[in-house]
Amino acid sequence: SRDQPDLILLDVMLPGHDGFWILEQLRSYTDVPIILLTARTLVEDRVKGFDYGAVDYITKPFANEELIARIRRRLGEYQRRAARRQVHSFDGKLSVDFAAHRVMVNGKPVNLTPTEWRLIHRLIQSEGQIVSFEELLSAGWSDHKFRDAASIKVRISHIRKKIGDPPFHSRYIHTEREQGYRFEPEQ
């Protein structure tokens, strides 16, 4: 995999392809902040830069202190946004976004009930470790009417079906007999 920079400074007026074309290409595979530097001062150029995905547009000449301040600000925004995302990807097929409460399989959203979401969230938080039935019950729901190991087994079965994880050849959720379950994606 390619190393990804934290931020890109991009001059608009380059030989060959112009910076707008490069910006458009970069946006097809990265969301890192891109700051455009240019002598072009037309409003249309600034609008085009923002429309193509730049986070800032600095015209030359500029003070180095201003450039450094803008870089600091954009890096801070990007790092805060990345921290909120909390997306975990497993084997290129299953991805879980803790912040958005979203599970995707092969890029398609999986519709989990709130209880199923809390169970899979708890399992993933303890990746590689056994999570007991008791722990899953306390993480899963507060309705005491259905608080037993059988209820957990039914919900885990539903989750497995929804994420395409067969119980006998599991890729993600492994049964630990009479103990609970373990989330550990196969490599």
Side-chain angles (χ1 to χ4, degrees):
S1 76
R2 277 183 271 185
D3 289 343
Q4 183 165 292
D6 294 326
L7 182 135
I8 298 170
L9 292 174
L10 178 61
D11 198 321
V12 173
M13 297 192 305
L14 297 169
H17 295 293
D18 75 357
F20 294 118
W21 182 86
I22 293 170
L23 172 61
E24 193 174 27
Q25 301 310 303
L26 288 168
R27 276 293 168 247
S28 71
Y29 66 87
T30 184
D31 67 346
V32 300
I34 299 173
I35 298 175
L36 294 178
L37 303 174
T38 184
R40 295 164 80 165
T41 60
L42 294 175
V43 172
E44 294 83 18
D45 288 331
R46 287 195 301 270
V47 169
K48 185 176 181 181
F50 290 124
D51 284 347
Y52 279 43
V55 297
D56 212 339
Y57 191 100
I58 303 173
T59 56
K60 298 174 185 177
F62 53 82
N64 287 337
E65 295 82 11
E66 180 185 2
L67 175 62
I68 290 167
R70 288 180 185 227
I71 289 171
R72 263 196 317 263
R73 175 169 178 127
R74 298 306 178 186
L75 279 174
E77 291 168 354
Y78 179 70
Q79 289 163 348
R80 283 189 297 279
R81 196 171 68 239
R84 281 194 309 268
R85 242 182 269 144
Q86 300 182 47
V87 176
H88 299 270
S89 187
F90 307 98
D91 76 4
K93 295 179 183 173
L94 176 68
S95 67
V96 179
D97 183 338
F98 287 151
H101 290 229
R102 184 174 31 234
V103 175
M104 307 277 280
V105 174
N106 294 321
K108 295 184 175 99
V110 174
N111 187 18
L112 296 178
T113 67
T115 299
E116 291 166 350
W117 165 254
R118 288 190 295 273
L119 292 174
I120 196 166
H121 183 264
R122 179 65 183 87
L123 286 167
I124 292 171
Q125 283 180 315
S126 298
E127 184 177 345
Q129 301 171 355
I130 297 172
V131 181
S132 70
F133 290 114
E134 292 77 25
E135 289 175 272
L136 290 169
L137 284 168
S138 65
W141 55 85
S142 58
D143 186 349
H144 296 286
K145 192 165 47 175
F146 298 106
R147 288 186 58 129
D148 60 19
S151 297
I152 294 290
K153 291 175 184 177
V154 168
R155 295 311 190 292
I156 294 294
S157 173
H158 292 165
I159 293 168
R160 282 178 163 157
K161 281 181 189 154
K162 290 178 179 183
I163 66 173
D165 191 25
F168 299 110
H169 302 290
S170 181
R171 293 190 325 248
Y172 308 113
I173 301 172
H174 304 277
T175 303
E176 298 294 338
R177 238 186 223 305
E178 298 181 27
Q179 295 179 62
Y181 293 92
R182 176 177 43 85
F183 182 88
E184 189 162 18
E186 288 187 352
Q187 301 300 322

